[in-house]
Amino acid sequence: MITHISSDDLPLLDRAAHQFRGVPASAAFLEPRSVMAFVASEGAEVLGWCWGYRLVRPDGSMMLYVHGLDVAEAYRRRGIGRRLLTAFMAVGKESGASTMFVFTDEANAAARSFYESMGGGPPAQGPSVNYWFRLDS
């Protein structure tokens, strides 16, 4: 079962956050309307999750950013990641998003193959480079 997480689903989100990130889920995470999160579960067991954001651009258009997609190792290659990402894209499209992006490690062949099988590809404007900034120094 794929659940589009709302404030009523915080316990499910909390189980996923603990399982995949080792952290508790905060209700504050769900407050911004830009946040989207989905959890795949079977009964009480969390199988995977996908979360990210709707990003509104200066011209009013919208794109999606997938920040995390994880599937429990025992459940990989069963279509769970595909169902999670498909749900994420469908809700984003319903919200008005026209594009989506996700980052992965260049050496992560499984993730790259998966994203390509879902129709993803490199940006039209050429290769991109990520820069990270520490804001707590």
Side-chain angles (χ1 to χ4, degrees):
M1 168 184 220
I2 304 294
T3 303
H4 183 185
I5 299 295
S6 70
S7 58
D8 295 335
D9 304 306
L10 190 57
L12 179 59
L13 179 64
D14 189 59
R15 290 198 316 273
H18 270 89
Q19 181 172 332
F20 296 109
R21 302 288 181 184
V23 298
S26 167
F29 172 72
L30 296 174
E31 287 176 12
R33 292 174 34 118
S34 61
V35 171
M36 295 189 339
F38 297 83
V39 174
S41 61
E42 192 171 273
E45 188 171 8
V46 171
L47 311 180
W49 75 335
C50 178
W51 62 280
Y53 305 93
R54 296 176 191 96
L55 303 173
V56 179
R57 303 172 93 170
D59 65 1
S61 65
M62 187 187 310
M63 63 182 166
L64 303 178
Y65 166 53
V66 177
H67 188 82
L69 173 62
D70 297 287
V71 175
E73 193 168 338
Y75 294 97
R76 292 182 184 160
R77 304 201 56 83
R78 297 184 186 189
I80 293 166
R82 185 171 301 277
R83 290 196 308 270
L84 284 164
L85 195 58
T86 297
F88 187 92
M89 293 182 336
V91 169
K93 186 176 179 179
E94 288 172 14
S95 298
S98 58
T99 58
M100 181 180 83
F101 67 100
V102 59
F103 295 108
T104 192
D105 190 318
E106 183 178 27
N108 189 340
R112 292 179 65 190
S113 177
F114 170 68
Y115 294 132
E116 288 171 13
S117 77
M118 294 283 298
Q125 69 270 25
S128 62
V129 177
N130 293 320
Y131 290 89
W132 292 87
F133 298 85
R134 293 206 51 91
L135 303 178
D136 58 357
S137 48

